Amino acid sequence: MRRRCPVAYSQELGWSIFRHADVKRVLEDHESFSNAVSEHLSVPNGMDPPEHTIYRQMIEAYFSFDRVRAFTPTCRTISDRLVSDAVRASAGVEVVSQLATRFAGQVQCAFLGWPEDLHHTLIDWTQRNTMANRDGDREQLSRLANEFEAIVDSQLDQRADDSTTHSTDVTRMLMGERVYERPLSHEEISSILRNWTVGEIGTISASISILLHHLALHPDHQRFLRDNLAKLPSAIDEMLRVHNPLFSNRRATRCPVNLGGQDIGAGERVTLHWISANRDEEVFEDASEVRFDRDSAENLLYGAGIHVCPGAPLARMELEVFMESLLSQTSSWSLREGSAPVYANYPACGFEDLQVIFSS
């Protein structure tokens, strides 16, 4: 499609954008392409400037260098424990359900200051939300949005009833934020936390399954990373460039545009295909190959422009810490013989089932 029809129309996705250059143009031209595409409030990724700017500045503070560094020991404790349990399972583990989603769910609860046992609820909600998106079930998506808002309301009510506890957790801090000279509404807080939870549990768990799969198939890359841990951050980004944990993202045209030779009217739906853009041969030599020495400047793993993922510093830290735990507690790992990996279905990425054997 990049070569033959780089901008293509379908009833389901609207205008699909496949080339790296065209995707970057959409990402960087917020005057022509809007992020306001959801029926539900989406703070801040479903907003355009100047509204987006106000919420974005407030949210970015939660992913600052100092905050991420302070959270790192907690993240490492969770990853070390889960990896240790997995490595002791001599028969191997199913990575997605037994390791990746548990890590993502527990880390999310710890980051938000929520009870650890709530991670089961968040994982279940995230999985049902993904299925509803897959099926295009708008009624179910609306019910799930209300269900998540009830979970958030419960956490807010607990903090409102007891001002002596949870004084420094992220959720209480959001309760103290102000926009337009007023406190954030419950709906706004719920939207922020919903976006963070979907991004955390869905994307982090998919990323872990992708990383473990690639390194199981490439023991030479495993050995390289064991000997060169300093290369781990850039190596993770490169592995996830080739097999992206996110399939696509939406925009809408704010005015008539010409993109890839196609005239597109105002108010049209646009779908950005991350996987295709990150495998564009015009940008990445031998684009389907993982090369740890590749320049990552054009990697769109976390997007680009004013809507680049604000949680990228946290996500990078979590994946790095998890992989450090895994590499330090194992001598190798491989796919379980006779058990073929099962890829996730659109709109999810990564794997639904990935059986791995660890050697300590």
Side-chain angles (χ1 to χ4, degrees):
M1 295 298 288
R2 282 190 302 271
R3 290 189 296 270
R4 298 175 57 192
C5 191
V7 176
Y9 183 82
S10 68
Q11 190 170 14
E12 181 178 359
L13 298 178
W15 293 96
S16 285
I17 315 300
F18 296 101
R19 290 191 306 204
H20 188 281
D22 294 330
V23 168
K24 279 202 71 174
R25 177 188 164 188
V26 174
L27 293 175
E28 294 171 351
D29 183 4
H30 56 83
E31 298 292 336
S32 301
F33 299 93
S34 171
N35 264 49
V37 295
S38 175
E39 296 178 0
H40 301 284
L41 179 67
S42 183
V43 181
N45 51 310
M47 297 174 168
D48 296 319
E51 184 182 37
H52 167 268
T53 306
I54 294 170
Y55 286 92
R56 173 80 185 214
Q57 288 175 344
M58 178 263 293
I59 284 173
E60 281 184 336
Y62 289 87
F63 304 102
S64 68
F65 175 82
D66 288 340
R67 284 188 185 276
V68 171
R69 182 176 60 181
F71 184 61
T72 299
T74 300
C75 183
R76 193 176 302 279
T77 297
I78 295 170
S79 64
D80 282 348
R81 182 181 68 245
L82 288 171
V83 168
S84 177
D85 291 343
V87 172
R88 287 201 302 268
S90 58
V93 299
E94 195 289 295
V95 165
V96 180
S97 63
Q98 295 179 266
L99 197 54
T101 55
R102 290 181 185 178
F103 172 74
Q106 291 180 28
V107 165
Q108 179 69 350
C109 284
F111 179 70
L112 298 179
W114 292 6
E116 181 181 334
D117 59 5
L118 195 57
H119 81 272
H120 299 290
T121 300
L122 295 184
I123 290 170
D124 175 69
W125 181 89
T126 301
Q127 291 172 341
R128 288 186 289 126
N129 189 69
T130 298
M131 291 175 63
N133 271 305
R134 180 183 303 166
D135 298 337
D137 188 340
R138 293 188 176 184
E139 290 186 6
Q140 175 68 349
L141 286 170
S142 182
R143 286 193 293 269
L144 286 165
N146 292 333
E147 184 179 320
F148 191 87
E149 192 163 344
I151 296 172
V152 172
D153 285 345
S154 173
Q155 294 300 312
L156 299 183
D157 290 343
Q158 290 178 32
R159 286 156 178 78
D161 292 341
D162 186 356
S163 61
T164 64
T165 59
H166 315 289
S167 59
T168 59
D169 72 34
V170 166
T171 304
R172 174 167 290 284
M173 294 176 71
L174 282 172
M175 293 171 68
E177 294 287 0
R178 300 181 67 85
V179 291
Y180 301 111
E181 300 183 352
R182 61 164 177 81
L184 288 174
S185 68
H186 277 211
E187 184 185 13
E188 288 169 331
I189 295 174
S190 180
S191 173
I192 292 168
L193 295 177
R194 183 172 64 247
N195 288 335
W196 289 357
T197 298
V198 171
E200 173 72 32
I201 296 179
T203 308
I204 293 296
S205 59
S207 296
I208 289 172
S209 70
I210 291 166
L211 296 174
L212 266 67
H213 178 259
H214 175 83
L215 293 173
L217 294 181
H218 298 86
D220 56 324
H221 285 179
Q222 269 196 58
R223 289 190 295 270
F224 175 84
L225 292 177
R226 292 179 194 279
D227 295 336
N228 300 273
L229 277 180
K231 299 287 188 181
L232 190 56
S234 59
I236 289 173
D237 280 7
E238 170 65 2
M239 288 183 278
L240 297 179
R241 177 193 65 80
V242 172
H243 188 163
N244 204 294
L246 289 173
F247 199 99
S248 60
N249 198 236
R250 294 183 293 164
R251 296 290 193 276
T253 52
R254 306 181 74 175
C255 58
V257 297
N258 184 283
L259 194 62
Q262 297 281 9
D263 290 321
I264 304 174
E268 294 282 335
R269 182 180 180 183
V270 173
T271 300
L272 308 178
H273 290 269
W274 302 120
I275 295 174
S276 176
N278 261 345
R279 290 191 177 200
D280 192 331
E281 302 86 350
E282 295 297 317
V283 178
F284 305 100
E285 184 180 5
D286 296 322
S288 62
E289 294 183 10
V290 170
R291 294 184 176 180
F292 290 161
D293 60 349
R294 194 188 297 274
D295 182 358
S296 63
E298 295 299 328
N299 189 342
L300 297 177
L301 175 61
Y302 293 100
I306 65 170
H307 293 285
V308 65
C309 178
L314 179 66
R316 284 191 164 105
M317 180 276 288
E318 291 174 357
L319 292 174
E320 182 179 353
V321 164
F322 181 88
M323 294 307 298
E324 286 175 351
S325 293
L326 194 58
L327 290 167
S328 67
Q329 295 188 49
T330 62
S331 60
S332 66
W333 67 84
S334 58
L335 301 182
R336 179 183 288 166
E337 188 174 351
S339 181
V342 179
Y343 284 88
N345 292 320
Y346 174 85
C349 282
F351 295 85
E352 288 188 357
D353 189 285
L354 181 66
Q355 307 284 338
V356 169
I357 301 288
F358 295 109
S359 299
S360 57

